[in-house]
Amino acid sequence: MKIMHLADFHLDSAFSGFPKEKADEKRAELRECFVKAMQTAKENEVKLILIPGDLFDTPFCSAQTRKTVFDAIADAACPVIIAPGNHDYYNKNGTYADKSLPENVFVFTSGEIGRFDFDELGISVLGYAFTSDKFEENPLSVELPISSENVNILCAHTELGVPLSKYAPMSASSISKHGFTYAALGHVHSPDEPLKVGQTLIAYSGFAQGRSFDELGDGGAYIVEIDTQSKNVTLERIKLSSMNYEIEKVDITSLSNDNDVAKKIEAVIDEKRYSEETALRVVLTGAVPSDYALNENAVRDALSSSSLALLQIRNETVANFDLAALEKDLTVKGEVYRSLLPLLESEDEKERQKGALALKFALAALDKR
């Protein structure tokens, strides 16, 4: 039997760092990603959909998002179980209490562990709801209503392995000891690989579609296949995201021309086959001539590739100074260099970078650059 496990869409995110038009566009992309997920579930003949929290960015959502989500869920034509998280926590006036919620939706509404039984599938799903933006107790510290007849699955928004977390702290061993066959978790956007503890497979689905440069690569969900007789579980990762965020470090050591830098970036874009579905941050590294003042706009203009969804350039290069000459220099330049030596020779890399940047700025200013 197939189950879909997905979470952390954060529908109706503010995208406050974008102009209004672009923010509206990105919210629409997230909605389409959810619609795609429900269509994928239907195409794969999924019998149950688990959403362990943060489907929405707040307990409330816009009318447009509500209609899109409710229509997509109804069209999925299978039970959809939701365990509200710290962003979309259950509120008696919120989205999850809406009377127009599709009939195939089952929402946990209490901080106490509850259970939904799907006897025709041989599955029982246990879970709970955040009822505020914090949940500081371990929800598994009490006796659980485990089914003796069905395969038991946990659907939970939690921060695993962080005992003092404010987000429903629990451990992998506490999940396993209750006899769950599968634990569908939400909250961690870029998780480690699924973990097998005892007879329990534990997994975070991760983010569905990246919203910034702290969510890199493909966003997606899991198709979980469970043999209800043997309780064997297999996972298949499916891509849902229509746009990916990526970060590339590009070493431009010894380059001193904006066009040459652009060519180096272009080569990376071509090699990785980044396209209009890619938001790329390029971090420039290496040592460049001290008299080279890189112009990010000129580099961007020199790029022949215009197919990226977004291109950011961050300059983290250091200046390649003639330190021997500066050591002997009797002018202000030499004095500046000697005054910065404690930073430049520090054991702390950040301090050394700070000293190099200060020296670069100072020498440029003295040369009226």
Side-chain angles (χ1 to χ4, degrees):
M1 184 192 63
K2 290 183 180 179
I3 295 170
M4 178 177 274
H5 166 202
L6 66 167
D8 297 299
F9 275 83
H10 291 271
L11 296 169
D12 276 356
S13 290
F15 292 109
S16 55
F18 292 85
K20 182 183 182 306
E21 218 172 90
K22 187 67 175 176
D24 289 344
E25 181 183 312
K26 292 183 75 62
R27 281 189 287 272
E29 287 174 358
L30 277 181
R31 287 193 292 270
E32 286 307 307
C33 184
F34 182 77
V35 171
K36 178 182 178 181
M38 296 299 99
Q39 291 172 343
T40 302
K42 195 172 184 179
E43 290 164 4
N44 281 271
E45 300 181 343
V46 161
K47 302 301 182 186
L48 207 64
I49 297 172
L50 305 175
I51 306 179
D54 289 357
L55 173 59
F56 304 104
D57 200 48
T58 73
F60 310 91
C61 71
S62 66
Q64 184 176 8
T65 294
R66 182 171 59 249
K67 179 175 180 359
T68 300
V69 169
F70 286 9
D71 286 351
I73 286 176
D75 188 56
C78 71
V80 177
I81 297 89
I82 300 175
N86 60 296
H87 276 264
D88 60 353
Y89 57 86
Y90 184 79
N91 180 296
K92 64 180 181 179
N93 298 312
T95 303
Y96 294 133
D98 195 305
K99 291 181 180 178
S100 62
L101 205 66
E103 292 182 357
N104 60 323
V105 174
F106 299 80
V107 181
F108 293 106
T109 61
S110 168
E112 295 182 4
I113 291 277
R115 189 180 93 196
F116 293 119
D117 294 322
F118 303 94
D119 295 336
E120 69 282 7
L121 300 176
I123 295 287
S124 290
V125 180
L126 284 78
Y128 54 87
F130 276 66
T131 55
S132 73
D133 61 357
K134 294 183 180 64
F135 193 137
E136 299 187 39
E137 301 82 18
N138 178 355
L140 302 186
S141 62
V142 298
E143 187 174 344
L144 304 187
I146 296 293
S147 170
S148 60
E149 304 294 328
N150 295 333
V151 169
N152 290 278
I153 293 174
L154 177 66
C155 182
H157 200 78
T158 176
E159 188 168 21
L160 198 66
V162 184
L164 298 180
S165 170
K166 296 179 180 178
Y167 307 110
M170 63 179 72
S171 66
S173 60
S174 69
I175 295 174
S176 178
K177 78 175 185 180
H178 287 292
F180 292 109
T181 298
Y182 181 68
L185 307 184
H187 184 67
V188 176
H189 289 202
S190 300
D192 295 329
E193 290 296 309
L195 177 68
K196 186 73 178 285
V197 180
Q199 300 302 309
T200 307
L201 185 61
I202 302 170
Y204 283 99
S205 64
F207 65 89
Q209 173 149 308
R211 294 175 297 148
S212 65
F213 286 103
D214 58 0
E215 296 176 342
L216 302 179
D218 293 340
Y222 281 121
I223 297 290
V224 185
E225 191 153 4
I226 298 179
D227 185 322
T228 54
Q229 298 301 315
S230 68
K231 296 187 179 180
N232 184 56
V233 182
T234 57
L235 299 182
E236 177 190 355
R237 186 72 180 167
I238 57 169
K239 179 182 175 181
L240 295 175
S241 54
S242 59
M243 190 183 83
N244 293 3
Y245 285 82
E246 303 287 354
I247 297 177
E248 292 286 350
K249 287 189 175 182
V250 179
D251 189 337
I252 61 167
T253 294
S254 299
L255 297 186
S256 59
N257 180 282
D258 293 336
N259 286 327
D260 291 340
V261 172
K263 288 177 183 176
K264 194 98 185 251
I265 295 172
E266 191 78 43
V268 172
I269 292 172
D270 291 343
E271 179 188 350
K272 296 296 181 74
R273 297 184 179 180
Y274 291 141
S275 67
E276 66 277 357
E277 296 182 353
T278 309
L280 178 63
R281 175 183 289 167
V282 173
V283 181
L284 299 176
T285 64
V288 298
S290 59
D291 59 352
Y292 173 39
L294 184 139
N295 185 323
E296 292 180 13
N297 288 331
V299 170
R300 196 175 279 104
D301 291 343
L303 284 167
S304 61
S305 172
S306 58
S307 61
L308 297 175
L310 174 70
L311 175 63
Q312 287 186 359
I313 297 175
R314 290 196 172 179
N315 184 6
E316 295 185 3
T317 59
V318 294
N320 190 8
F321 302 105
D322 185 345
L323 300 183
L326 285 171
E327 179 68 42
K328 299 175 183 177
D329 193 299
L330 300 179
T331 69
V332 176
K333 290 183 180 181
E335 194 59 37
V336 167
Y337 165 71
R338 288 184 286 274
S339 71
L340 289 171
L341 269 178
L343 283 177
L344 293 167
E345 295 178 345
S346 171
E347 293 182 2
D348 186 326
E349 183 182 350
K350 288 186 177 179
E351 291 295 289
R352 292 198 301 275
Q353 290 177 351
K354 187 190 297 182
L357 192 59
L359 183 59
K360 181 178 180 178
F361 285 164
L363 296 182
L366 289 169
D367 287 338
K368 295 183 168 46
R369 291 185 281 111

